[in-house]
C-alpha cells in the first residue's frame, strides 16, 4: 500500500466560483509593493489535478504558517520578499518567492523518487528504501491502463520476472502465472495470492466439462479462474514477492512466489464518489486459412482418383460450379460487446474511514455461446476505536456467471470449426442445424461447431464471500499487536447439458444433464506482534506471530436424462444411468513465524525471517518444516563518501538467501486410499495410488543479488536482480513405466533437483517533465533458464489426448534439460524420387531391411523423409529427439505514457522471444489422412504424382513422378503408414512475438471545467487492446500458456480460444 | 486495557496448545476408505475383487480387442487411418492402439497385484477366514493370469511384474522382458491357484473354478500347439491331454450348458446366460464403464439413436463370409445374422425395428446409408438405443457383457485337445463337442473327419467379432507356421465389391455389384479398379511390437534387449 495518496474532498458549489477565479489569475502578473502582503491560492495535485487539503505552507525562516482547507485553499500573510515553503507528505516540497504576487496557485508534484514509498511485505509493511529482497510493486492505476476482466491478465508484461500467459481467451479463462520460471513438475507452479490477508492458491478449478458425454472435457484451460472474482477497480496495489528472502515469511506455500493484493481503503476527508466505466467491442483478428468449398471439392476429387478405396462425391463433379461454401470460422466468431461499471464511495472522519464499491462487468466471448458476467460489492472499513485500538474489515462479495463452450481442446468448437467441411451448411432451410449426410468413421468429424457452441450448454455460477476482520492494539509505544480473522466462502453450481438434436445424420434422441454443486469454507486466524524501536541511528522492527488456517470443501455431481422441453433443473427428467458422485475433504496449516528488520544509519540493512509450518498434507512424521531467510542491503548513496549530488540519489546493493517450500499435493497423497466405483456386483473399491508415507516438503533455496539505482533526482530508477533457485527433493507424482499400470496413480515422491536462474531488469524514467509535457517510460526485461538437474532416471511424457498418436509430445528428463521440451521426429524433407526412398534409412521395412515402396502400405513419393538421428539405418522410436523448447529465452514489457496538457497517451508493448509452440491445430488441418475433415489451404500444394511420359501404372513407382517436387507438403495418405503427421519438427513453430498490447488515449478535463460540472475529476479515454502482434507463428495467437496449467504442457496450441482485439471507450469521474 | 491484552495473549496460548496441536493436522480421508482400514470381512474383500471385472479391461477392449483380435486376422474389412493399419498390416510400434492394448492389460495386472499384495496380510490381521482370503486371491490371480496369457499371445515376451509397490518404493522400475515359457508358466500358476481356491458357483458373472479350468484348457491347448509345431522350449507332449481333461471337467461337471439360441447370447437381457464362464461385466454408467463396441460397429444413428455410430464403413471380409457359407455345408447358419447384417435382414430389437439394405434412402430419396466394400455391416454387440431399451447408451457404455470365455469355446478346445497332433478326428468325445456347437448353429454333422482346418473354420464362425480370431490364427501358426501364413496370405482380405452400373436400379441387389480382387484387379466395368494391395504376412509379422512409448520409457523393452528367465530352473 502506498502512503502517498491524498485525501480528496468534494468541492462544494459555493466555493467553486472563488477558487475558479483565483485559478484564472495564475496567468495574470500582479504587481504590488506593499510591505506586508497577503497571498492566497489553491494547491492541487500534479498527479490527478485534485485539490489538496492539509498542505503545509510556511514562510521560510519563520514559524509563520498555515494549512490548506478542505478545498485546497490557503491564505497567508507574509513579509516583503518572503519565500513560502509548501510541503505535503508524498509530494515534492516546493519553495517559491512571493515577490509581489497576491495569488499563487500551485501544482504539487508527487515525490517520484518514491524513496518513502511503503510496500506491503506480508504481515507488515516496509519502506521501499529499506527493502532487501526482490519485491516488485505495482499500483492499481497501472493495471487499469489495459482493459482486463481479471487482474492477473493485467499483470502480463508489467513485472520483471513474472510471466503471465492466458491459457484461453475465453471470458474468465484462467491465466498461468510463473514467477521466475517453473518450479514444479507435476504439481502447481502457480503463485500464492494473498488478498487483503487471505491466502488463495492460484490453481484454476476444474469444471464439469464434457468428458462424461464422451468429449474431452473438464479441461482447466477453460476452467474458472480464481482471480476472476476480483474487481480490478478495487485494487490499490499489487506486490510481487519474488525471491525467497521476501517470500519465506509465507513458508510452505511460497515456492512459486507470492502476489499480495491490497484493496483500496478509505481516507480522511470529504466523501468522494467515483465512477469508472467502459464499453468495448471485441473481435477476433485472425483465422486459419482453410479450404473453401471449391478447393475442398477439388481436393476430394483428386484424392478419390489417387486412392481406389475412396469414392468420389458426385456433388463435387464440377468444382467450378460450386460456391465458397460455409466458412465455419466466420460462423463461430462474432463481434462481441463487453462493458464494465464501477461505483466507489470513499470517505471518512478522523476515526472512521470507509470504501464502499460496487461493480458490474459483462463480457460476451468472441466465439458464439461464451459469455461471462460478474457483480462485485466491497466494503472496507477502518475505525480507530480508542487511541490504542483500531479495528477494521475488508468484506467482499462477488458473483460470477459464465457460459463456457468446449474450446481449447482437440474436439473443441474452434478446432472443429477448422476441420468441418465447407459443403455442409450451418443451418438447413427450416432453420435447424445441419450436419453431414453420410456416416463418418469417427466422432472427430461432422459435429456442427455452431450447433455445438449454441446448443450444448455449460454454465458455471459461483459466489464468493471474502472477509477479513482485524483488530490492532497499540500496547506500548512502538509495540502493536494485530489479530486477523479471515474467511473465504465459495459456492458454485456448474451445469452441463447435452440436448437432443439431429444434425444431418448426427442424431441424439435423449438429452443428458449433469450438475455439480460445490461449497468450500476457508478460515485463517493469525495474530502477530510488531515492535519498532528507533534509537539514534538504529532502527529495528521485530515481528512474531502465529497463524492457523483450515479449508474444507464438499461437493457432488448429479446426472439426469431425458429432460422435457430441455428444462435444465434437477427435478426434471429421468434418473440417469451414470451414478451420482461426490467428494469431501479438508486441509490445514499451522504456522509460527518471526521477522527482524534492522537498519543502521539508513545505510546498512538486515532482514531475517523464519517460519515453521505444519501441514495436513503429509504424514505426521513429515508434517513440519522450517523456512528461514536472511538478506542484507547497503545503501551506498547514503554513505558520506558519496558525493551528495542529484546525479545519484539512490544506490543500494541487496543480497539475500532463503528457503521456501511447496506442499501442494492432494490430501492423503502420501497414503493409499481406495477409490469407489460401481460394478455389476454393486459398489467396489480399488487402490487410488501407490503410497509413499515418506513424502515430505519440497525445498527451494534462492540466492538473489540486486541493485537499486536512482539517478537524476529520482527521474530514472533502475532495478537489477540476478537469482538462482535450487529446488531439491522435487515433490512430484511419479510417472511410472506403463507396466505398473497407468490408471493407478504413481506415488507422490521427492525426486530430483531443478534449477532456475535468471536476471531481471526494470527501469522507469521520466524523460520529459516540463509542466506541460510529461513523458515517462517503464520497461522490464526478464530472462530465466530452467534446468532439471536430476530426476533419478525418471522420465515424464505428456500426450495430446490418447487417440491422437501424439503420445509423447513432450519429454521431461534430468541431466540439465528444461521442463516440457517437445519430443518427436525430425523432418528432413519429402521423398521426390525412387532412389531417395531406396537410399534412405528404413522407415517402413519390406522384411529385407529395405524401404517398402508401395502406394498404399509403404513409402511413396511425397512421404516425409525422417532423420535417422541415431544413424543406425532404421527409423525407429529411438530417432525421436528434442525438437523444441517452449520456454522463452526472454520476455519484456515496455510502456510509455505521454501527457501533453490534458491528453495522455499510454502505449504498452510486450514480447516473448524464443519459446516454441506445438501447433496441433495445424497438425489437424494438414494431416491428410481422410476426406471427411476440411484441410488447410496449404494442403493444395501437397505432393502429388502423375504418370511420366510412357507410364501406364500409377501404382508403379517407375511410372510416376511428382507434379511439384519442390513442395514441402507431404502427400495424402489415408493409411498413415509413414505417419507423415506424427509428432515432429513439422508442427513445431517459433512462438516469438512482440505485441502492442494497448494504446490508450485519455483526455483529462481541466480542473476548472470539471469543477464547472461539479466534478473534481473527469477522464474520458479510448483504448485499443491487442493492437498488433508481430510473429512468425501461423496459429491464431502465439500467447498460448500452459494447457491445463501443466508445466509439461506449455506452448500447446490445441485450438486455443484466441485473445480478442478490444476497442474500448471509457469514462472515469469523481465528484 | 490490560485485561484486554491479557485475554488476547491467553487466547493465543490456548490456541497454540489446542488447535495448533498435531491433531489439527492429522488427516484421514472423509470421502474415501484407506487400504489399511479395509479388508475387514468377506464383503469388503469381495468389493475389492469386484473392481477387476470391467473397468480395468476397457483399455484393452475398446480398440485393441477388435483391431488386433478381428481386423488383423482378416475377418473384418475396415481401412481407415491408424485403425486401418491393422487391416493392411502396416502398423508399427507407434500405432496408438497397440499401446492401448498393452497398457490396458498391464492396468489389469497392476490392480490385481495390489490386491494380491495388500489383502492377505491386512485381512488376516482382521481375523478373516483363510478360505475367504484364498478365494479372493484366486479371483485376483485369475485376472492377472488372463492378462498375462493375452500378453504372451500377442507379444511373446513381456516383463512379468509382481509386487509392484515394493519395486516402486525401491526405485526398481525397469523390468526386463521375460521368456515366453516363463510367462505361460506364470499364467498357469495363477489359473491353477484360482482353480483350486475359487468356489464352484457364485453370483452370476463372478468367475468360478470352472472359469479357471476353462482358461487352463485354453492355455494347455496353446502349449500343445506350440509343442506340436516343434518348439523345443514351450509346451510338452502332455499338454493336449491336460487340456482335454480340464475341458472335459468343465463340460461334464460345471453344470453349464450351451444356450439354445446363439443370437440371444448377444442381447443385453441374456448376458447372464448359462454359457458364460468369463465375461467383462460391463455396466451402463458412462464412458469407460461399458461396452463401446456398439459405437464402433453400429452402421448408423438410426440404430443407436445417438451420434455414436461409427460403423458405416465396416463389414466382414469376403473371405469371412465365404468361410461361413462353406462351413455351413449348404445349410443356413443361424449364427450369421448375429454376426453381420446383409441385404434383407430384419432386426426387430434394434433401431425400433431395422431393415438392412445395401443402400438406404430417406423419404426425399437422400442416401442415408451407403454400400460398404463388402456389402455387409457388423452386427455383433450392436444392441440398439434408447428406443429399444428405455435407457441410453450414448456414452459408449452398452451394458452388454463381453465374452472372454464361453462354454462353446471350451467345447471346441476339447475337440482341439483331443485332435492333438493327429491329422483328424472321426468320432469320440472331441468330435461330439464339435457337433454340439454346430447343432446349436442349426448345422448338422458334416459327416467327414474333423481336421484341424475344419475346426479352425468352425471357430472362425462361432467366435466371429469376439476378439478371438487372431489368437486362433496364432495357435494355427504355432502348429504349422506355413499353413497359417498361407491362410493369411491367400484369404484376399482386400478384395471388395464395386457397383457395376451406377445408373441401373440394382443398388439394393447384390447382382448390381461385382467382386474385384485386390492388387490391380479390374471389373467388367473398367472404372472398377481395385488398387488395394494384397496383404502378405511373414513370420515376423505374427508378433506385436512393444509399443514405442513403452520402449522409450523403459529401454529394457527395446527390440534387441535381453529376454531373461523369470523362474530359476
Amino acid at each position: 500500500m502506498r502512503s502517498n495518496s491524498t485525501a480528496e474532498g468534494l468541492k462544494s458549489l459555493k466555493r467553486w466560483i472563488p477558487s475558479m477565479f483565483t485559478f484564472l489569475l495564475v496567468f495574470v502578473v500582479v504587481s504590488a509593493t506593499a510591505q506586508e502582503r497577503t497571498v492566497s491560492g489553491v494547491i492541487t495535485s500534479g498527479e490527478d489535478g485534485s485539490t489538496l487539503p492539509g498542505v503545509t505552507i510556511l514562510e521560510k525562516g519563520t514559524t509563520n504558517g498555515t494549512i490548506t482547507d478542505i478545498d485546497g485553499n490557503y491564505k497567508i500573510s507574509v513579509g516583503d520578499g518572503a519565500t513560502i515553503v509548501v510541503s505535503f507528505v508524498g509530494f515534492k516540497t516546493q519553495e517559491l518567492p512571493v515577490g509581489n504576487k497576491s495569488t499563487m496557485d500551485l501544482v504539487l508534484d508527487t515525490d517520484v523518487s518514491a524513496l518513502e514509498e511503503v510496500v506491503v511485505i506480508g504481515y507488515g509493511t516496509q519502506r521501499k528504501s529499506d527493502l532487501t529482497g526482490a519485491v516488485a510493486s505495482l499500483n492499481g492505476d497501472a493495471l487499469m491502463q489495459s482493459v482486463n476482466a481479471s487482474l492477473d491478465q493485467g499483470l502480463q508484461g508489467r513485472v520483471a520476472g513474472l510471466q503471465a500467459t492466458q491459457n484461453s481467451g475465453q471470458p474468465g479463462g484462467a491465466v498461468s502465472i510463473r514467477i521466475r520460471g517453473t518450479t514444479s513438475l507435476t504439481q502447481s507452479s502457480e503463485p500464492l495470492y494473498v488478498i487483503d490477508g487471505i491466502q488463495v492458491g492460484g490453481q484454476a478449478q476444474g469444471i464439469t466439462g464434457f468428458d462424461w458425454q464422451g468429449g474431452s472435457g473438464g479441461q482447466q484451460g477453460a476452467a474458472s479462474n480464481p482471480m476472476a472474482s476480483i474487481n480490478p477497480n478495487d485494487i490499490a496495489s499489487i506486490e510481487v514477492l519474488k525471491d525467497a528472502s521476501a517470500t519465506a515469511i509465507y513458508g510452505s506455500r511460497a515456492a512459486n512466489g507470492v502476489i499480495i493484493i491490497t484493496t483500496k481503503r478509505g481516507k480522511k476527508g470529504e466523501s468522494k464518489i467515483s465512477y469508472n466505466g467502459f464499453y468495448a467491442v471485441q473481435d477476433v483478428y485472425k483465422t486459419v486459412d482453410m479450404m473453401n468449398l471449391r478447393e475442398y471439392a477439388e481436393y476430394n476429387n483428386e484424392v478419390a482418383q489417387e486412392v481406389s478405396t475412396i469414392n468420389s462425391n458426385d456433388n463435387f463433379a464440377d468444382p467450378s460450379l460450386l460456391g465458397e461454401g460455409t466458412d465455419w470460422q466466420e460462423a463461430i466468431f462474432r463481434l462481441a460487446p463487453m462493458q464494465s461499471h464501477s461505483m466507489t464511495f470513499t470517505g471518512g472522519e478522523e476515526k472512521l474511514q470507509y470504501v464502499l464499491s460496487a461493480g458490474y462487468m459483462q463480457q460476451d466471448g468472441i466465439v458464439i455461446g461464451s459469455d461471462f458476467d460478474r457483480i462485485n460489492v466491497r466494503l472496507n472499513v477502518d475505525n480507530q476505536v480508542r487511541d490504542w485500538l483500531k479495528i477494521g474489515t475488508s468484506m467482499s462479495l462477488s458473483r460470477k456467471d459464465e457460459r463456457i463452450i468446449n474450446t481449447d481442446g482437440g474436439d473443441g468448437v474452434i478446432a472443429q470449426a477448422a476441420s468441418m467441411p465447407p459443403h455442409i451448411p450451418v443451418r438447413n432451410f427450416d432453420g435447424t442445424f445441419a450436419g453431414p449426410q453420410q456416416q463418418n468413421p469417427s466422432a472427430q468429424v461432422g459435429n456442427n461447431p455452431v450447433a455445438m457452441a449454441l446448443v450444448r450448454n455449460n454454465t458455471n455460477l459461483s459466489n464468493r464471500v471474502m472477509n477479513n476482520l482485524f483488530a490492532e492494539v497499540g500496547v506500548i509505544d512502538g509495540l502493536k499487536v494485530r489479530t486477523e480473522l479471515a474467511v473465504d466462502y465459495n459456492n458454485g453450481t456448474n451445469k452441463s447439458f447435452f440436448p437432443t438434436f439431429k444434425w444431418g445424420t448426427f442424431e441424439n434422441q435423449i438429452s443428458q444433464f449433469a450438475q455439480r454443486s460445490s461449497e468450500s469454507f476457508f478460515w485463517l486466524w493469525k495474530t502477530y506482534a510488531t515492535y519498532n524501536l528507533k534509537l539514534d541511528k538504529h532502527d529495528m522492527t521485530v515481528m512474531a506471530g502465529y497463524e492457523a488456517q483450515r479449508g474444507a470443501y464438499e461437493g457432488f455431481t448429479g446426472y439426469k436424462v431425458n429432460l422435457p422441453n430441455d428444462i435444465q433443473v434437477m427435478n426434471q427428467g429421468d434418473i440417469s444411468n451414470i451414478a451420482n458422485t461426490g467428494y469431501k475433504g479438508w486441509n490445514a496449516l499451522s504456522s509460527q513465524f518471526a521477522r527482524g528488520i534492522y537498519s543502521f544509519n539508513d545505510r546498512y540493512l538486515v532482514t531475517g525471517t523464519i517460519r515453521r509450518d505444519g501441514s495436513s498434507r503429509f504424514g505426521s512424521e513429515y508434517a513440519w518444516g522450517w523456512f528461514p531467510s536472511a538478506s542484507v542491503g547497503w545503501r551506498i548513496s547514503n554513505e558520506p563518501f558519496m558525493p551528495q549530488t542529484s546525479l545519484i540519489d539512490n544506490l543500494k546493493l541487496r543480497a539475500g538467501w532463503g528457503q521456501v517450500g511447496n506442499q501442494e499435493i492432494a490430501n492423503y497423497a502420501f497414503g493409499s486410499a481406495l477409490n469407489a466405483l460401481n460394478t455389476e456386483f454393486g459398489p467396489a473399491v480399488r487402490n487410488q495410488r501407490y503410497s509413499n508415507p515418506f513424502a515430505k516438503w519440497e525445498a527451494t533455496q534462492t540466492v538473489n543479488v540486486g541493485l537499486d539505482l536512482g539517478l537524476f533526482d529520482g527521474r530514472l530508477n533502475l532495478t537489477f536482480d540476478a537469482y538462482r533457485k535450487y529446488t531439491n527433493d522435487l515433490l512430484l507424482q511419479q510417472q511410472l513405466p506403463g507396466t505398473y499400470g497407468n490408471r493407478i496413480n504413481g506415488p507422490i515422491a521427492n525426486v530430483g533437483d531443478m534449477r532456475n536462474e535468471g536476471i531481471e531488469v526494470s527501469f522507469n524514467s521520466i524523460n520529459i517533465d516540463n509542466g506541460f509535457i510529461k513523458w515517462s517510460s517503464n520497461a522490464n526485461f526478464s530472462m530465466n533458464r530452467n534446468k532439471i538437474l536430476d530426476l533419478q532416471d525418471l522420465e515424464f511424457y505428456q500426450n495430446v489426448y490418447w487417440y491422437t498418436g501424439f503420445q509423447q509430445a513432450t519429454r521431461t528428463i534430468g541431466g540439465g534439460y528444461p521442463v516440457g521440451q517437445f519430443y518427436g521426429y525430425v523432418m528432413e524433407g519429402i521423398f521426390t524420387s525412387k532412389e531417395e526412398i531406396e537410399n534412405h534409412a528404413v522407415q517402413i521395412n519390406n522384411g529385407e531391411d529395405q524401404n517398402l515402396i508401395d502406394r498404399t502400405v509403404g513409402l511413396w513419393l511425397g512421404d516425409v523423409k525422417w532423420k535417422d538421428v541415431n544413424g543406425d539405418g532404421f527409423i525407429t522410436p529411438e530417432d525421436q529427439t528434442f525438437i523444441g523448447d517452449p520456454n522463452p529465452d526472454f520476455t519484456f514489457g515496455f510502456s510509455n505514457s505521454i501527457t501533453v496538457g490534458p491528453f495522455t497517451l499510454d502505449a504498452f508493448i510486450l514480447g516473448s522471444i524464443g519459446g516454441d509452440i506445438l501447433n496441433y491445430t495445424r497438425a489437424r488441418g494438414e494431416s491428410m489422412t481422410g476426406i471427411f475433415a476440411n484441410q488447410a489451404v496449404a494442403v493444395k500444394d501437397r505432393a502429388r504424382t502423375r504418370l511420366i511420359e510412357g507410364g501406364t501404372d500409377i501404382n508403379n513407382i517407375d511410372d510416376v513422378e511428382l507434379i511439384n517436387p519442390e513442395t514441402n507438403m507431404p502427400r495424402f495418405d489415408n493409411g498413415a503408414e509413414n505417419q507423415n503427421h506424427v509428432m515432429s519438427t513439422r508442427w513445431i513453430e517459433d512462438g516469438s512475438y512482440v505485441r502492442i498490447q494497448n494504446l490508450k488515449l485519455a483526455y483529462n478535463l481541466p480542473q476548472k471545467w470539471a469543477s464547472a460540472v461539479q466534478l473534481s475529476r473527469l477522464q474520458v479515454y479510448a483504448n485499443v487492446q491487442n493492437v498488433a502482434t508481430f510473429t512468425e507463428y501461423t496459429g491464431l495467437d502465439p500467447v498460448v500458456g500452459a494447457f491445463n496449467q501443466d508445466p509439461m504442457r506449455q506452448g500447446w496450441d490445441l485450438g486455443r480460444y484466441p485473445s480478442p482485439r478490444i476497442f474500448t471507450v471509457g469514462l472515469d469521474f469523481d465528484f | 486495557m490490560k485485561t484486554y491484552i491479557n485475554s488476547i495473549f491467553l487466547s493465543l496460548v490456548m490456541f497454540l496448545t489446542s488447535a495448533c496441536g498435531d491433531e489439527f493436522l492429522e488427516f484421514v480421508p472423509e470421502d474415501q476408505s484407506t487400504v489399511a482400514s479395509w479388508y475387514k470381512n468377506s464383503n469388503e474383500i469381495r468389493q475389492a475383487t469386484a473392481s477387476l471385472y470391467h473397468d480395468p479391461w476397457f483399455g484393452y477392449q475398446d480398440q485393441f480387442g477388435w483391431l488386433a483380435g478381428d481386423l488383423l486376422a482378416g475377418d473384418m474389412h475396415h481401412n481407415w487411418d491408424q485403425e486401418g493399419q491393422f487391416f493392411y498390416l502396416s502398423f508399427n510400434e507407434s500405432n496408438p492402439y497397440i499401446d492401448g492394448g498393452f497398457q490396458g492389460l498391464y492396468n489389469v495386472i497392476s490392480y490385481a497385484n495390489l490386491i494380491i499384495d495388500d489383502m492377505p496380510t491386512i485381512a488376516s490381521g482382521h481375523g478373516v477366514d483363510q478360505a475367504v482370503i484364498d478365494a479372493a486371491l484366486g479371483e485376483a490371480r485369475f485376472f492377472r493370469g488372463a492378462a498375462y496369457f493375452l500378453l504372451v499371445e500377442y507379444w511373446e515376451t513381456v516383463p512379468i511384474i509382481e509386487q509392484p509397490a515394493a519395486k516402486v518404493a525401491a526405485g526398481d522400475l525397469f523390468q526386463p522382458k521375460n521368456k515366453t515359457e516363463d510367462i505361460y508358466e506364470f499364467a498357469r500358476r495363477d489359473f491353477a491357484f484360482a482353480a483350486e481356491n475359487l468356489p464352484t458357483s457364485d453370483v452370476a458373472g463372478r468367475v468360478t473354478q470352472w472359469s479357471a479350468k476353462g482358461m487352463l484348457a485354453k492355455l494347455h491347448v496353446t502349449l500343445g500347439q506350440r509343442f506340436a509345431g516343434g518348439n523345443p522350449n514351450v509346451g510338452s507332449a502332455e499338454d493336449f491331454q491336460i487340456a482335454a481333461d480340464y475341458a472335459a471337467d468343465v463340460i461334464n461337471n460345471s453344470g453349464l450348458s450351451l444356450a439354445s439360441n446363439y443370437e440371444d447370447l448377444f442381447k443385453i437381457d441374456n448376458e447372464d446366460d448359462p454359457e458364460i464362464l468369463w465375461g467383462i461385466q460391463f455396466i451402463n454408467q458412462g464412458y469407460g464403464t461399458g461396452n463401446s463396441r456398439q459405437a464402433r460397429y453400429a452402421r448408423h444413428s438410426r440404430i443407436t439413436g445417438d451420434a455414436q455410430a461409427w460403423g458405416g464403413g465396416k463389414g466382414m471380409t469376403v473371405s469371412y463370409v465365404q468361410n461361413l457359407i462353406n462351413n455351413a455345408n449348404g445349410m443356413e447358419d443361424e449364427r450369421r445374422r448375429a454376426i453381420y447384417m446383409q441385404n434383407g435382414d430384419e432386426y426387430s430389437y434394434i433401431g425400433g425395428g431395422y431393415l438392412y439394405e445395401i443402400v438406404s434412402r430417406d423419404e426425399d430419396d437422400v442416401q442415408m446409408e451407403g454400400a460398404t466394400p463388402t456389402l455387409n455391416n457388423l452386427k455383433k454387440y450392436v444392441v440398439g438405443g434408447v428406443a429399444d431399451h428405455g435407457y441410453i447408451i450414448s456414452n459408449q457404455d452398452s451394458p452388454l457383457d463381453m465374452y472372454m470365455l464361453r462354454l462353446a469355446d471350451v467345447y471346441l478346445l476339447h475337440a482341439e485337445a483331443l485332435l492333438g497332433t493327429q491329422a483328424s478326428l472321426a468320432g469320440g468325445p472331441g468330435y461330439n463337442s464339435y457337433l454340439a456347437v454346430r447343432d446349436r448353429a442349426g448345422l448338422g454333422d458334416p459327416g467327414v473327419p474333423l481336421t484341424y482346418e475344419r475346426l479352425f473354420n468352425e471357430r472362425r464362425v462361432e467366435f466371429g467379432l469376439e476378439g478371438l480370431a487372431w489368437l486362433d490364427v496364432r495357435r494355427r501358426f504355432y502348429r504349422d507356421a506355413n499353413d497359417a501364413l498361407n491362410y493369411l496370405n491367400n484369404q484376399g482380405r482386400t478384395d471388395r465389391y464395386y457397383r457395376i452400373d451406377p445408373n441401373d436400379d440394382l443398388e439394393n441387389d447384390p447382382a448390381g455389384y461385382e467382386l474385384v480382387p485386390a492388387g490391380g484387379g479390374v471389373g467388367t466395368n473398367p472404372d472398377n479398379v481395385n488398387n488395394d494391395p494384397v496383404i502378405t504376412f511373414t513370420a515376423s509379422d505374427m508378433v506385436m511390437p512393444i509399443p514405442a512409448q513403452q520402449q522409450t520409457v523403459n529401454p529394457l523393452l527395446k527390440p534387441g534387449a535381453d529376454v531373461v528367465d523369470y523362474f530359476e530352473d
Side-chain angles (χ1 to χ4, degrees), chain A residues 674 677 679-687, chain B residues 38-39 41-57 108 111-116 119-120 132-143 198 202 205-207 281:
Chain A
L674 294 166
L677 70 160
T679 71
E680 184 106 1
F681 315 113
V685 296
R686 64 171 172 219
N687 290 39
Chain B
W38 198 254
Y39 298 123
N41 51 48
S42 166
N43 176 41
E44 289 188 353
I45 291 170
R46 279 169 67 86
Q47 280 197 42
T49 51
S51 70
L52 298 171
Y53 279 83
H54 71 310
D55 178 286
W57 289 94
V108 175
Y111 284 122
N113 265 331
L114 286 167
I115 294 171
I116 292 164
M119 185 268 293
V132 172
I133 294 174
D134 286 345
L137 263 182
E139 234 176 331
R141 290 187 67 173
F142 174 86
F143 288 114
L198 282 170
D202 205 329
R206 288 256 186 186
V207 293
Q281 300 291 316

Side-chain angles (χ1 to χ4, degrees), chain B residues 276-328:
Chain B
I276 187 167
L277 280 159
W278 167 34
I280 299 177
Q281 300 291 316
F282 282 126
I283 56 174
N284 171 229
Q285 295 199 7
Y287 178 77
T289 66
N291 186 333
S292 62
R293 288 285 201 278
Q294 156 137 309
R296 305 273 171 214
Y297 288 180
R299 187 187 187 192
H300 197 273
S301 290
R302 289 173 64 199
I303 295 171
T304 61
D306 60 47
Q308 294 172 335
W310 309 319
K314 300 188 182 95
M316 300 307 271
T317 54
V318 173
S319 153
Y320 184 88
V321 172
Q322 204 53 55
N323 175 62
L324 184 137
I325 292 166
N326 295 344
N327 183 64

Side-chain angles (χ1 to χ4, degrees), chain A residues 615-620 622 665-673 689-696 747-748, chain B residues 25-29:
Chain A
S615 170
S616 64
R617 297 186 200 241
F618 299 96
S620 54
Y622 300 92
I665 55 173
N667 284 332
Y668 203 64
F670 59 87
S672 191
R689 60 162 51 82
Y690 292 105
S691 66
N692 173 19
F694 310 109
K696 60 174 186 188
I748 294 289
Chain B
L25 302 176
E26 201 150 302
F27 186 85
V28 179

Side-chain angles (χ1 to χ4, degrees), chain A residues 2 8 120 143 162 201 271 395 677 709 838 918 947 955 1002 1052:
Chain A
R2 286 152 55 109
E8 289 161 300
V120 181
L143 282 178
L162 183 151
S271 304
M395 296 176 66
L677 70 160
L709 182 63
E838 284 171 341
L918 164 60
L947 288 173
N955 291 304
W1052 290 23

Side-chain angles (χ1 to χ4, degrees), chain A residues 470-691:
Chain A
F470 72 87
E472 193 173 276
V473 176
V475 184
I476 53 168
D477 200 24
L479 175 62
K480 283 192 284 196
V481 177
R482 185 178 169 104
T483 186
E484 289 182 26
L485 177 64
V487 296
D488 182 1
Y489 171 80
N490 281 279
N491 73 37
T493 307
N494 176 201
K495 297 179 184 178
S496 192
F497 180 66
F498 191 66
T500 55
F501 58 78
K502 192 169 190 309
W503 306 331
T505 56
F506 258 47
E507 183 179 10
N508 186 44
Q509 293 177 345
I510 194 157
S511 55
Q512 298 188 64
F513 178 57
Q515 175 169 339
R516 184 168 80 173
S517 291
S518 57
E519 188 173 71
S520 69
F521 183 80
F522 168 87
W523 63 259
L524 178 153
W525 187 22
K526 63 185 167 207
T527 298
Y528 58 95
T530 312
Y531 181 64
N532 177 253
L533 183 68
K534 284 197 176 100
L535 259 183
D536 195 16
K537 292 176 175 170
H538 307 273
D539 186 345
M540 188 169 75
T541 305
V542 181
M543 184 276 292
Y546 70 88
E547 181 177 87
Q549 51 187 303
R550 189 178 196 274
Y553 51 86
E554 189 168 358
F556 78 94
T557 309
Y559 302 89
K560 279 290 189 77
V561 296
N562 210 7
L563 295 107
N565 298 318
D566 290 354
I567 298 174
Q568 296 161 44
V569 184
M570 269 294 156
N571 67 344
Q572 299 290 310
D574 300 332
I575 292 168
S576 169
N577 57 324
I578 302 176
N580 296 337
T581 174
Y583 61 91
K584 185 182 184 189
W586 60 270
N587 43 62
L589 270 176
S590 171
S591 324
Q592 294 116 38
F593 48 85
R595 174 171 60 216
I597 301 174
Y598 169 75
S599 84
F600 175 73
N601 207 8
D602 265 355
R603 287 180 210 157
Y604 311 107
L605 313 162
V606 181
T607 303
T609 69
I610 188 149
R611 182 173 175 123
R612 180 174 179 253
D613 270 331
S615 170
S616 64
R617 297 186 200 241
F618 299 96
S620 54
E621 279 172 55
Y622 300 92
W624 293 90
W626 289 94
F627 305 98
S629 83
S631 55
V632 294
W634 180 24
R635 292 188 63 190
I636 304 170
S637 51
N638 285 1
E639 290 288 356
F641 58 76
M642 288 293 288
Q644 293 301 306
T645 67
S646 65
L647 176 64
I648 298 177
D649 69 348
N650 180 34
L651 175 61
K652 182 169 71 175
L653 274 176
R654 295 177 278 109
W657 166 88
Q659 175 170 315
V660 285
N662 183 0
Q663 59 126 21
E664 296 297 323
I665 55 173
N667 284 332
Y668 203 64
F670 59 87
S672 191
L674 294 166
N675 279 343
L677 70 160
N678 288 316
T679 71
E680 184 106 1
F681 315 113
V685 296
R686 64 171 172 219
N687 290 39
Q688 181 178 20
R689 60 162 51 82
Y690 292 105
S691 66

